């Protein structure tokens, strides 16, 4: 026995010399990292069992429900303690270990946070009874110098733990889940003054600085960060802020809504609040700070009225994140709800009684927390099989999904470091230890957004109805246009017919003319032949007469020669007979005969001469007549040839012009037809935009509203035919007129063309031979030039205009 006492005395000495026996607080590092090296080493060794979690399971480690109770008085070696733990574990029920459960995202994560000693505690020299070992997640609670319990949590935070580290470790995974459509809860539990509000609700807006921001502000900040990263979805973030005091739920943003009932949706199990608290759509990260400030202000006013203290009420910030996407063409919404719960102080009732509350009131105040404890106990003890008394308090009804439900939950248990609050610290720790065993079954809240779907479908129905109407209209228009186009085609056929008739008429005219010319030619030929015959006859007659005369002359000569011969013979006879100087008589006769011959030879016959002259004349006339006739025939032939060529050319030119205009018209009609087809085939989503070229058809048909009147006059004014400001040629007016004349005269007669040289509109006035020519010409010109416009003028207007133009233009008028 004495040996035992000696060993005990020896050990006490050792612990006193190296551990936190001093009432004064130890340096931070010592407090954070735990006990004196020897003690820490022992504790670490103590939990480093193969199972690894023996020390974290109070029920398993000690019947009293504490953590591993390590009596310093027992002079145990590390090895002994290890055995001791191993022995205790061996007899414990086979609960799943923390390590085994770590991978289950539904398990409630519990972190313990020890706040630093406040000034007063330091001043009063309170001993520190808590030591955390963040690297292993253990907390050591020292009852006294010899008695220390060890508890294991998911995380432990010492006094120096930063707010950001607490957020990252405790809340960030929950926020991440909420963004994916799960419900999540972060809750702070602990005695008043241990840092619950600091952990959750610190705004970090004033002197305390940005780094001090608690989980509420950081969570919203984080949500906004994440939403801006996700480009595939649209987010809506709404928040409500409630206070739960004495089983009454109040809206901290709408103080008039001070008795909110909690109900449950029978189908989805979702919590329903009635009347609904104000749901504020958060627009940016600073918005939440302002709203929390407003909430705190209202909370102070409300609690003042109720003579209450905020430490006795629970504050709940509810943030709903709706992620809207399209999945399989259906609007889908993932709606995650994040509850951030700053619970009322968990201290035992006697402390509230000491503040003047009756026991009943005090019980009522803490009813919610008590029920929460009961719910957790029954969830843990009955392995979630039996009745869990959620309905016994408003808090548990509100948090039903967070404990034993489908939410992902993190609990921060806040404790003070001073030994003075040891029992409260122990209670809080044990609460955390129970909660750590709860396993929720996570369920994503992804729904087809029926409201949005309904809205979308209604929009679609509206669209389709409108499209149907448009399609109907388009069909009607298209049908009308088809009829109209048929009318155009018919009209075109008429025009074509007319043209053919005209062509036939022209050809007939040409043929007639040719016939006439041919006949005339024949007539001329007959005449020519006649006169030729007549002249030939005359010629023959004359020649006959000449022949006769020549014969007569010959006969006369012969007779003369005979007479001479006879005279000579008579003379010779006389001479021979010697009568009366015969020789002389012969010479005399000779002389007379010679004289006669010379006379007859030298004196031409005047009759003959006359006849010869006549003959010459006849021949000349004949030649001249022949030349004339030939010339006439040649002229006629040339003229005829020219006429035919001119006619052909003009016809060809006109056809070319009309052809071009027709091409344009056909192009337009085809487009219109395509429009009609498209309008007919379209489901009509944009039916209105597919309206076909009605105005064009109207124009073509000269229907109401179109530019072309039903009965055109022969006077026309064309606009945009030239631009006087850019015409540079000195003879541009003449050139314009000549162009217009040649273009228009293809269609028929053009009586007059006037150019309004001073008008910037490029006006040209034309008087056609008749309205039909005018109509044809303008349709063709419009079809050819496109961007011009025309008007048919009354005769009076034409006259007035021409008169004015005559005044204005020095040069006026040109007739084609
Ligand atoms: N981790 C901490 N670090 C620094 N100060 C703290 C910490 N936790 C709490 N405090 C301070 O302790 C006091 C009480 O904290 P509070 O959050 O109001 O406690 P509770 O909400 O639990 O009643 C406050 O002055 C707070 O600033
Ligand atoms: Mg508080």
């Amino acid at each position: 026995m004495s040996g035992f006492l000696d060993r005990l005395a020896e050990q006490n000495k050792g612990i006193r010399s190296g551990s936190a026996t001093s009432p004064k607080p130890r340096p931070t590092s010592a407090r954070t990292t735990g006990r004196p090296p020897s003690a820490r080493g022992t504790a670490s060794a103590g939990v480093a069992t193969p199972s690894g979690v023996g020390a974290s399971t109070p029920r398993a480690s000690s019947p009293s429900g504490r953590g591993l109770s390590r009596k310093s008085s027992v002079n145990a070696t590390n090895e002994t303690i290890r055995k001791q733990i191993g022995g205790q574990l061996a007899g414990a029920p086979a609960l799943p270990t923390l390590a085994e459960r770590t991978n289950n995202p539904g398990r409630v994560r519990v972190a313990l946070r020890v706040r630093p000693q406040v000034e007063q505690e330091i001043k009063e020299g309170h001993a520190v009874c808590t030591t955390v070992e963040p690297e292993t997640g253990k907390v050591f609670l020292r009852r006294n110098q010899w008695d220390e319990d060890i508890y294991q949590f998911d995380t432990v935070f010492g006094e120096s733990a930063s707010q950001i580290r607490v957020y990252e470790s405790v809340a960030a995974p929950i926020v991440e889940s909420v963004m994916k459509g799960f419900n999540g809860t972060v809750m702070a539990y602990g005695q008043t003054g241990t840092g619950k509000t600091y952990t959750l609700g610190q705004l970090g807006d004033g002197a305390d600085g940005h780094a001090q921001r608690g989980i509420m502000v950081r969570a919203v900040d984080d949500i906004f960060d994440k939403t801006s990263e996700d480009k595939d979805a649209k987010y809506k973030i709404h928040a409500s802020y409630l206070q739960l005091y004495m089983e009454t739920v109040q809206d901290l943003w709408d103080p008039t809504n001070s008795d909110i009932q909690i109900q449950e949706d029978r189908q989805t199990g979702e919590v329903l609040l009635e009347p609904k608290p104000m749901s504020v759509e958060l627009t940016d990260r600073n918005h939440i700070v302002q709203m929390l400030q407003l909430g705190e202000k209202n909370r102070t006013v409300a609690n003042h009225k109720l003579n209450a203290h905020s430490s006795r009420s629970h504050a709940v910030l509810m943030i709903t994140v709706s992620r809207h996407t399209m999945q399989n063409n259906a609007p889908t919404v993932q709606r995650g709800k994040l509850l951030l719960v700053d619970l009322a102080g968990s201290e035992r009732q006697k402390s509230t009684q000491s503040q003047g509350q009756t026991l009943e009131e005090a019980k009522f105040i803490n009813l919610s927390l008590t029920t929460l404890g009961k719910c957790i106990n029954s969830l843990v003890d009955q392995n979630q099989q039996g009745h869990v008394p959620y309905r016994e308090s408003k808090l548990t009804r509100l948090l039903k999904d967070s404990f034993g439900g489908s939410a992902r939950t993190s609990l921060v248990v806040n404790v003070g470091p001073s030994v003075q609050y040891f029992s409260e610290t122990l209670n809080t720790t044990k609460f955390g230890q129970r909660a750590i065993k709860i396993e929720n079954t996570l369920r994503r809240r992804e729904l087809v957004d029926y409201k949005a779907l309904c809205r979308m479908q209604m929009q679609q129905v509206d669209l389709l109805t409108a499209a149907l109407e448009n399609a109907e209209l388009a069909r009607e228009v298209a049908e009308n246009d088809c009829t109209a186009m048929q009318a155009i085609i018919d009209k075109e056929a008429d025009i074509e017919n007319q043209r053919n008739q005209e062509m036939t008429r022209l050809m007939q005219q040409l043929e007639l003319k040719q016939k006439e010319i041919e006949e005339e030619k024949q007539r001329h030929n007959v005449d020519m032949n006649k006169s030729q015959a007549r002249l030939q006859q005359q010629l023959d007659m004359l020649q006959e007469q000449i022949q006769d005369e020549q014969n007569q002359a010959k006969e006369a000569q012969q007779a003369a020669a005979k007479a001479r011969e006879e005279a000579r013979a008579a003379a010779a006879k006389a001479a021979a007979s010697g009568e009366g100087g015969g020789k002389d008589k012969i010479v005399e006769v000779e002389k007379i005969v010679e004289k006669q011959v010379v006379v007859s030879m030298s004196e031409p016959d005047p009759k003959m001469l006359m006849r010869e002259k006549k003959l010459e004349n006849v021949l000349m006339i004949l030649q001249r007549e022949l030349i004339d006739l030939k010339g006439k025939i040649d002229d006629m032939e040339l003229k005829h040839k020219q006429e035919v060529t001119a006619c052909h050319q003009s016809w060809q030119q006109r056809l070319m012009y009309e052809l071009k205009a027709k091409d344009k018209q056909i192009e337009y009609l085809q487009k219109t037809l395509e429009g009609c087809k498209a309008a007919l085939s379209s489901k009509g989503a944009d039916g209105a935009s597919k309206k076909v070229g009605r105005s064009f058809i109207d124009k073509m048909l000269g229907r109401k509203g179109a530019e072309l009147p039903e009965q055109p006059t022969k006077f026309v004014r064309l606009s945009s035919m030239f631009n006087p400001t850019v015409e540079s040629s000195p003879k541009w007016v003449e050139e314009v007129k000549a162009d217009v004349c040649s273009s228009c005269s293809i269609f028929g007669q053009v009586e007059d063309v006037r150019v309004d040289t001073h008008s910037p509109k490029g006006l040209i006035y034309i008087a056609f031979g008749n309205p039909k020519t005018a109509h044809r010409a303008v349709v063709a010109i419009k079809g050819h030039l496109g961007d011009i416009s025309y008007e048919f003028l009354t005769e009076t207007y034409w006259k007035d205009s021409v008169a004015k133009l005559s005044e204005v233009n020095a040069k006026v008028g040109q007739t084609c």
Side-chain angles (χ1 to χ4, degrees):
M1 197 59 181
S2 66
F4 171 71
L5 288 173
D6 284 345
R7 277 203 303 281
L8 184 62
E10 202 44 47
Q11 194 172 353
N12 281 347
K13 227 196 287 171
I15 288 173
R16 251 183 236 115
S17 64
S19 67
T21 49
S22 159
K24 283 185 184 152
R26 287 169 293 172
T28 308
S29 59
R31 269 187 284 148
T32 309
T33 50
R35 303 135 292 139
S38 60
R40 191 167 65 241
T42 310
S44 301
V47 291
T49 58
S51 63
V53 290
S56 70
T57 319
R59 277 177 188 280
S61 59
S62 103
S64 64
R66 284 189 209 157
L68 170 65
S69 184
R70 189 163 60 88
K71 300 281 180 193
S72 301
S73 55
V74 179
N75 189 12
T77 61
N78 291 349
E79 193 54 35
T80 322
I81 292 170
R82 205 174 292 129
K83 276 182 190 158
Q84 199 177 355
I85 295 165
Q88 283 165 344
L89 280 173
L95 284 174
T97 64
L98 186 59
E100 279 165 357
R101 287 184 287 122
T102 298
N103 290 334
N104 178 3
R107 184 174 62 77
V108 172
R109 311 268 148 168
V110 183
L112 179 133
R113 186 177 195 184
V114 185
R115 69 148 164 76
Q117 277 191 318
V118 293
E119 223 171 274
Q120 195 172 354
E121 290 170 333
I122 297 168
K123 225 190 266 172
E124 289 173 6
H126 292 294
V128 172
C129 67
T130 55
T131 306
V132 294
E133 206 173 71
E135 61 277 18
T136 57
K138 292 188 186 76
V139 63
F140 299 84
L141 297 186
R142 206 162 37 258
R143 236 173 248 278
N144 52 45
Q145 290 176 18
W146 305 279
D147 198 359
E148 187 177 71
D149 292 345
I150 308 169
Y151 296 95
Q152 173 134 32
F153 288 90
D154 288 299
T155 322
V156 288
F157 300 107
E159 62 191 53
S160 64
S162 67
Q163 289 281 69
I164 188 163
R165 193 153 70 80
V166 174
Y167 175 78
E168 291 296 343
S169 172
V170 171
I174 308 291
V175 169
E176 183 129 16
S177 292
V178 169
M179 299 294 291
K180 289 177 183 160
F182 295 94
N183 282 349
T185 310
V186 180
M187 198 162 79
Y189 179 94
Q191 185 191 358
T192 301
T194 50
K196 298 184 295 296
T197 305
Y198 179 80
T199 302
L200 272 167
Q202 194 77 2
L203 297 181
D205 59 333
D208 51 353
H210 202 60
Q212 303 298 309
R213 288 171 306 151
I215 287 172
M216 287 180 177
V217 181
R218 284 178 195 271
V220 174
D221 214 28
D222 201 7
I223 289 169
F224 273 106
D225 276 348
K226 287 188 163 67
T227 55
S228 61
E229 283 163 16
D230 184 359
K231 305 286 177 214
D232 300 334
K234 274 189 180 171
Y235 284 90
K236 287 218 162 140
I237 304 156
H238 288 89
S240 303
Y241 197 25
L242 307 174
Q243 168 173 267
L244 208 154
Y245 175 67
M246 296 269 282
E247 293 305 291
T248 308
V249 182
Q250 298 161 304
D251 184 349
L252 283 176
W253 287 338
D254 177 12
T256 57
N257 193 1
S258 57
D259 190 13
I260 297 170
Q261 299 305 309
I262 299 172
Q263 287 153 13
E264 195 180 305
D265 188 316
R266 280 167 195 259
Q267 280 182 335
T268 61
E270 295 238 339
V271 168
L272 301 175
L273 300 172
E274 205 55 50
K276 284 192 176 60
M278 184 187 281
S279 173
V280 176
E281 183 173 355
L282 298 178
T283 49
D284 60 63
R285 41 196 92 213
N286 296 326
H287 196 180
I288 191 64
V289 176
Q290 295 161 10
M291 292 311 292
L292 287 174
Q293 278 168 341
L294 173 72
E296 272 328 295
K297 219 165 101 188
N298 289 340
R299 195 179 185 189
T300 314
V301 175
N303 290 339
H304 184 74
K305 275 189 203 160
L306 293 165
N307 194 23
H309 190 269
S310 62
S311 68
R312 290 180 210 143
S313 66
H314 313 281
V316 183
L317 178 67
M318 296 194 321
I319 299 169
T320 312
V321 181
S322 309
R323 182 175 186 268
H324 297 264
T325 50
M326 286 298 285
Q327 281 175 27
N328 303 326
N329 281 337
T332 308
V333 62
Q334 281 178 355
R335 199 164 279 141
K337 193 154 69 172
L338 176 63
L339 293 185
L340 300 172
V341 189
D342 183 1
L343 290 172
S346 62
E347 55 273 10
R348 278 167 297 177
Q349 287 161 21
K350 67 175 166 76
S351 51
T352 53
Q353 275 176 346
S354 69
Q355 285 169 22
Q357 297 282 347
T358 65
L359 185 62
E360 271 315 298
E361 277 174 327
K363 268 184 187 167
F364 207 42
I365 288 167
N366 262 342
L367 176 67
S368 283
L369 276 186
T370 317
T371 314
L372 180 63
K374 275 160 77 178
C375 288
I376 289 174
N377 281 344
S378 49
L379 280 170
V380 174
D381 292 345
Q382 298 172 22
N383 202 17
Q384 300 190 21
Q385 297 282 310
H387 173 71
V388 183
Y390 290 115
R391 299 193 62 78
E392 284 180 18
S393 83
K394 294 235 163 124
L395 180 70
T396 46
R397 286 171 74 183
L398 201 65
L399 295 178
K400 190 178 171 193
D401 197 39
S402 312
F403 293 96
S406 63
R408 191 167 181 183
T409 300
S410 263
L411 175 69
V412 185
V413 289
N414 293 84
V415 295
S418 300
V419 74
Q420 183 192 3
Y421 306 115
F422 181 84
S423 65
E424 289 298 343
T425 301
L426 190 64
N427 281 340
T428 303
T429 309
K430 283 179 183 171
F431 179 87
Q433 288 290 295
R434 281 195 297 280
I436 210 168
K437 292 177 198 162
I438 298 173
E439 288 187 22
N440 293 346
T441 312
L442 301 193
R443 186 157 48 83
R444 192 199 289 262
R445 274 158 178 71
E446 184 176 80
L447 292 168
V448 171
D449 189 347
Y450 286 105
K451 273 189 193 165
L453 187 64
C454 190
R455 256 199 318 274
M456 252 180 69
Q457 282 175 344
M458 269 165 70
Q459 272 174 3
Q460 213 166 350
V461 166
D462 283 350
L463 253 163
L464 285 173
T465 315
L468 202 70
E469 260 183 273
N470 281 338
E472 199 60 36
L473 185 76
R475 191 181 59 78
E476 231 170 79
V477 169
E479 269 175 13
N480 287 346
D481 289 342
C482 282
T483 320
M485 278 193 2
Q486 190 54 51
I488 291 176
I489 292 163
D490 290 350
K491 199 161 180 168
E492 284 303 313
D494 272 359
I495 293 172
E496 189 68 34
N497 225 6
Q498 277 178 20
R499 195 190 297 116
N500 286 343
Q501 280 175 6
E502 210 175 318
M503 188 118 163
T504 318
R505 190 179 53 78
L506 216 73
M507 294 301 280
Q508 281 171 352
Q509 267 182 4
L510 270 177
E511 269 174 31
L512 220 72
K513 194 110 186 161
Q514 210 159 357
K515 218 171 170 182
E516 271 174 25
I517 287 168
E518 210 56 49
E519 278 171 11
E520 203 166 336
K521 207 169 144 186
Q522 272 178 9
R523 232 180 8 256
H524 280 304
N525 278 345
V526 169
D527 285 354
M528 204 168 72
N529 290 343
K530 267 185 188 167
S531 49
Q532 238 178 341
R534 184 173 45 82
L535 286 172
Q536 194 63 47
Q537 214 177 351
Q538 281 181 0
L539 206 68
D540 289 348
M541 262 170 64
L542 279 172
Q543 274 176 345
E544 246 172 63
Q545 276 178 5
I546 289 168
Q547 193 65 46
D548 283 354
E549 276 169 14
Q550 275 177 349
N551 289 343
Q552 279 174 14
K554 214 173 173 180
E555 280 171 14
Q557 272 180 356
Q558 283 173 349
K562 199 176 170 186
R564 208 169 50 232
E565 283 300 318
E566 281 172 359
R568 263 185 206 143
K573 203 175 175 184
S577 62
E579 350 169 335
K583 261 189 184 177
D584 290 341
K585 219 169 181 174
I586 291 168
V587 172
E588 203 179 322
V589 171
E590 280 283 328
K591 274 181 184 173
I592 291 165
V593 170
E594 267 173 29
K595 217 175 172 178
Q596 276 179 345
V597 169
V598 170
V599 169
S600 68
M601 294 293 282
S602 62
E603 275 181 21
D605 184 0
K607 271 187 187 170
M608 269 268 284
L609 283 174
M610 228 174 72
R611 270 196 288 274
E612 271 176 7
K613 210 160 187 175
K614 221 174 171 181
L615 194 70
E616 267 172 27
N617 277 344
V618 169
L619 274 169
M620 242 162 64
I621 289 164
L622 197 67
Q623 271 174 351
R624 210 180 303 141
E625 271 187 14
L626 272 172
I627 289 167
D628 274 2
L629 262 174
K630 221 169 173 203
K632 260 187 194 172
I633 288 168
D634 285 352
D635 278 357
M636 229 157 66
E637 267 179 350
L638 189 74
K639 203 176 150 200
H640 176 63
K641 221 180 215 172
Q642 277 174 349
E643 268 180 15
V644 170
T645 319
C647 186
H648 275 147
Q649 270 179 354
S650 147
W651 192 252
Q652 205 171 3
Q653 214 175 345
R654 175 178 161 179
L655 282 178
M656 288 294 287
Y657 207 87
E658 280 192 0
L659 213 65
K660 272 189 192 170
K662 281 280 160 308
D663 277 351
K664 286 221 160 192
Q665 213 170 314
I666 286 167
E667 201 182 307
Y668 206 108
L669 282 172
Q670 269 170 351
K671 270 190 203 162
T672 313
L673 197 69
E674 273 166 31
C676 288
K677 279 185 192 163
L680 278 172
S681 65
S682 151
K683 289 255 162 25
D686 55 349
S689 66
K690 293 218 167 109
K691 241 180 134 180
V692 287
R694 190 177 195 134
S695 60
F696 170 77
I697 291 163
D698 284 345
K699 267 185 226 166
M700 299 308 295
L701 291 171
R703 284 200 304 225
K704 196 183 158 205
E707 284 176 51
L708 214 60
E710 287 291 342
Q711 289 176 320
T713 68
K714 66 174 195 173
F715 305 104
V716 177
R717 180 169 66 185
L718 303 176
S719 314
S720 311
M721 292 293 285
F722 58 89
N723 183 354
T725 58
V726 297
E727 298 293 351
S728 54
S729 162
K731 288 185 169 183
W732 71 269
V733 181
E734 279 71 28
E735 284 166 12
V736 168
K737 279 181 187 172
D739 280 352
V740 172
C741 276
S742 67
S743 303
C744 294
S745 54
I746 297 167
F747 301 94
Q749 193 196 354
V750 178
E751 287 177 353
D752 201 355
V753 177
R754 311 272 173 156
V755 179
D756 187 350
T757 52
H758 291 79
S759 160
K761 290 182 186 169
L763 301 177
I764 291 181
Y765 294 79
I766 310 168
F768 287 90
N770 57 52
K772 203 170 158 189
T773 314
H775 178 272
R776 276 191 185 179
V778 290
V779 169
I781 290 172
K782 173 79 184 161
H784 189 58
L785 300 177
D787 51 357
I788 65 147
S789 58
Y790 50 76
E791 291 160 285
F792 288 92
L793 312 173
T794 60
E795 194 169 355
T796 324
Y797 191 88
W798 160 266
K799 279 179 184 164
D800 281 359
S801 307
V802 167
K804 271 181 207 153
L805 278 181
S806 307
E807 279 173 28
V808 176
N809 298 338
K811 280 184 170 185
V812 290
Q814 175 166 328
T815 308
C816 298

